[in-house]
Amino acid sequence: MRIVAIIALCFIPLIAYFICFALLSDEFKIGTAFLSILMGLLAVIPIAVAQFALEYFNLLSARTLMGLLVQAIVLNGLIEELLKAAVLLPVNAKKIKLSTFVFYSMLCGLSVGCFETVIYLISGYMNIGLRMITAVLIHTFCTGLGGIFIYSIKIKKTRIWPIILAVLLHGIFNYFSYFSSPLRFFCIAVVLFAMWEVGLQYKNTLSEEESFDN
């Protein structure tokens, strides 16, 4: 019973975000919101399969710090962010504003992040306190960047830089999370930078969309 309560607590950020989104957005649709959450949870399956395959066949080695960085960028950045962005394709971007699409994207990422915290709890991951908080946020903001990328494709004004940023930032985040030394606190700086980039890329995409429409 205790473990059930702890697992439920992991999803409080998702529930709180869902409620705030519903109250603050006039374009909120409960069906699309639940679709975003579901697609995020479903994305965990191909992510886990791809990561397991790379590790099982030893396709990525990390004998040096640089090798560890490359491993983190590929395993956590490339695989997770591309697949999370891909599951956003069913959301119809042409009928909603960019801001709403980003909200749905971040809801998708938040569902992945909350699920990941459950895995950390069950597996007894080290640095669990810092990891639980920052992992939820990095998934949320990086999926927001991935959502901006998908939105730009759907309006035929493709901007690839947001997804590149998502991949790199998620990889760098995981790289620092491997350390047990104070270096692990650089995770916080990466999360803050990802949050800032979501706002910046949103503004850039919005301005390009407006100029395109004119």
Side-chain angles (χ1 to χ4, degrees), residues 4 13 28 30 74 83 86 105 174:
V4 173
F28 175 84
I30 192 169
V74 174
L83 287 173
S105 302
N174 274 80

Side-chain angles (χ1 to χ4, degrees), residues 119-134:
I119 302 302
Y120 293 149
L121 281 173
I122 295 174
S123 62
Y125 191 90
M126 62 179 183
N127 303 324
I128 186 65
L130 176 66
R131 184 69 171 170
M132 283 179 65
I133 297 171
T134 54

Side-chain angles (χ1 to χ4, degrees), residues 45-214:
I45 299 173
I47 286 172
V49 170
Q51 290 176 336
F52 174 80
L54 285 176
E55 292 179 338
Y56 181 80
F57 293 106
N58 197 27
L59 298 179
L60 284 173
S61 59
R63 297 185 178 89
T64 64
L65 288 177
M66 183 56 68
L68 186 64
L69 177 60
V70 172
Q71 183 185 68
I73 289 175
V74 174
L75 278 178
N76 305 106
L78 189 66
I79 291 176
E80 293 186 23
E81 294 310 323
L82 287 185
L83 287 173
K84 284 190 297 177
V87 300
L88 293 170
L89 288 170
V91 181
N92 193 342
K94 293 183 177 180
K95 293 185 177 181
I96 57 178
K97 296 182 293 188
L98 171 60
S99 58
T100 307
F101 193 86
V102 174
F103 277 134
Y104 284 130
S105 302
M106 293 174 69
L107 188 62
C108 172
L110 188 53
S111 69
V112 177
C114 289
F115 180 81
E116 196 171 84
T117 59
V118 174
I119 302 302
Y120 293 149
L121 281 173
I122 295 174
S123 62
Y125 191 90
M126 62 179 183
N127 303 324
I128 186 65
L130 176 66
R131 184 69 171 170
M132 283 179 65
I133 297 171
T134 54
V136 168
L137 293 175
I138 199 66
H139 272 292
T140 302
F141 296 132
C142 284
T143 312
L145 288 168
I148 292 172
F149 166 68
I150 295 298
Y151 184 90
S152 71
I153 292 176
K154 291 199 169 193
I155 65 170
K156 304 186 185 303
K157 195 69 175 178
T158 303
R159 299 185 68 247
I160 196 169
W161 183 236
I163 192 65
I164 292 175
L165 275 172
V167 169
L168 292 177
L169 289 174
H170 196 154
I172 293 171
F173 168 86
N174 274 80
Y175 173 73
F176 283 119
S177 71
Y178 292 143
F179 293 94
S180 57
S181 69
L183 282 173
R184 70 181 184 274
F185 291 105
F186 276 99
C187 291
I188 299 173
V190 178
V191 168
L192 293 175
F193 186 74
M195 179 177 64
W196 181 77
E197 278 295 338
V198 170
L200 179 62
Q201 297 306 317
Y202 167 79
K203 290 180 181 178
N204 291 342
T205 304
L206 189 62
S207 62
E208 288 189 14
E209 182 182 12
E210 290 174 348
S211 63
F212 180 71
D213 291 338
N214 294 329

